[in-house]
Amino acid sequence: MKHTIKIYNSFEEQKEDEARQLAALSSNELMIALRKLINFSFGLSGFDINNLPKKHTIKISEYQTQ
């Protein structure tokens, strides 16, 4: 992966360029980027982007106060 540095003349120019880049992505690419952000934010390193679970279950247990 090649990394480059872009220099902008203003914050507006930077925002326009970022918006252009996001608009060029497919919905699948956006979902992958979102999943990577979620994994990074919550420290989930064990998830494989290409092999996500097909079913999710939620177990609701009764909460009891003491």
Side-chain angles (χ1 to χ4, degrees), residues 1 10 12 14-15 19 23 25 27-28 31 33 35-36 43 46-47 49 52-53 56 58-61 64-65:
M1 179 184 228
S10 66
E12 291 79 16
Q14 178 186 2
K15 287 186 180 218
L25 296 176
S27 58
N28 192 43
M31 293 302 290
R35 185 72 234 187
K36 286 180 180 179
F47 284 97
I49 298 267
L52 292 175
H56 298 278
I58 299 173
K59 182 179 179 183
I60 301 174
S61 59
Q64 296 178 352
T65 60

Side-chain angles (χ1 to χ4, degrees), residues 1 21-22 25-41 49-50 52:
M1 179 184 228
Q21 289 175 19
L22 283 174
L25 296 176
S26 70
S27 58
N28 192 43
E29 290 170 322
L30 289 170
M31 293 302 290
I32 289 172
L34 178 61
R35 185 72 234 187
K36 286 180 180 179
L37 179 62
I38 291 169
N39 289 355
F40 179 77
S41 298
I49 298 267
N50 298 314
L52 292 175

Side-chain angles (χ1 to χ4, degrees), residues 6 8-23:
K6 289 186 179 181
Y8 299 100
N9 294 322
S10 66
F11 289 114
E12 291 79 16
E13 183 182 348
Q14 178 186 2
K15 287 186 180 218
E16 288 173 8
D17 185 50
E18 290 171 351
R20 233 184 335 271
Q21 289 175 19
L22 283 174

